[in-house]
Amino acid sequence: MKKTFLILMSSVAVLLVWTLFLTFERANGTPLVVEIEGFDPRSLIAGRYIAFQIKYKTDLTCGDKRTYSVEPSYFCWKTKKITRGKPSDCPVFFKGECRWGRFSDNLSRYYVPEIDADALDKDFQKRDLKFELLLSVTKRGDAYAKELLIDGKSWRERYWSKTADSGS
């Protein structure tokens, strides 16, 4: 009985340490604001989210477009260059893949509460608003979306008064 309890507790401890490590890594990543474009799809399984693409403003070609191959690649934000190996002279880079000759990052969704999703969907279709994403980029190149920004302000600030008014 004690042996089973120790095995169970060691498994829980390993998961806890791993979670704390990932949380610490995400919290201490390099902050980076990137411009995005996209739309607000609906998914019965995943809920409401904004599907987006980062506006890299450069050519994302990284291999042969005629053959399907998936190779680990890195995009240096400062130089706008794609490399096969980790760039040693680049302070902020994204880890991704080269698929069909084009760089693909692992950033594509930002989840939003159901109550604000319709308003966000309408705003996302407007061309006069600037949408950005505040990222936390780790030293390994993993990027995590921290905050959606609309015209430089948090989307929560934009919808807080609308949400507070509808709740009363």
Side-chain angles (χ1 to χ4, degrees):
M1 186 70 161
K2 287 184 181 182
K3 193 176 193 179
T4 305
F5 180 74
L6 285 174
I7 292 171
L8 182 63
M9 284 299 114
S10 65
S11 300
V12 170
V14 167
L15 287 174
L16 180 64
V17 168
W18 184 41
T19 302
L20 290 173
F21 170 75
L22 291 175
T23 302
F24 177 79
E25 186 180 49
R26 182 183 289 192
N28 292 315
T30 304
L32 179 67
V33 176
V34 297
E35 195 172 350
I36 61 169
E37 59 189 355
F39 60 95
D40 178 23
R42 296 169 195 244
S43 169
L44 295 175
I45 297 170
R48 294 295 293 266
Y49 58 88
I50 293 174
F52 64 87
Q53 286 180 273
I54 294 175
K55 289 184 179 180
Y56 285 102
K57 298 179 183 175
T58 190
D59 181 28
L60 296 176
T61 302
C62 59
D64 187 8
K65 295 179 182 179
R66 296 171 293 183
T67 59
Y68 179 75
S69 64
V70 178
E71 300 172 12
S73 299
Y74 298 85
F75 179 85
C76 179
W77 188 255
K78 185 177 180 181
T79 64
K80 307 286 191 221
K81 301 277 187 221
I82 300 168
T83 60
R84 299 280 186 217
K86 265 189 195 177
S88 58
D89 58 344
C90 185
V92 179
F93 58 89
F94 298 141
K95 182 170 53 173
E97 297 173 335
C98 185
R99 289 186 188 186
W100 288 104
R102 185 164 171 81
F103 179 76
S104 172
D105 58 36
N106 295 322
L107 297 166
S108 62
R109 292 182 179 184
Y110 185 85
Y111 289 89
V112 295
E114 191 72 31
I115 194 167
D116 297 321
D118 289 331
L120 262 168
D121 183 29
K122 288 176 187 167
D123 280 351
F124 223 64
Q125 295 172 21
K126 295 178 183 176
R127 298 283 180 223
D128 60 332
L129 295 175
K130 184 178 181 181
F131 284 85
E132 297 171 310
L133 204 59
L134 172 62
L135 301 175
S136 175
V137 185
T138 68
K139 291 177 181 163
R140 293 182 295 143
D142 297 320
Y144 300 99
K146 290 182 81 173
E147 187 69 58
L148 175 66
L149 306 172
I150 303 173
D151 285 340
K153 294 183 181 177
S154 169
W155 70 273
R156 289 177 176 87
E157 291 178 32
R158 184 176 180 87
Y159 299 112
W160 175 252
S161 60
K162 295 176 187 176
T163 306
D165 292 342
S166 66
S168 48

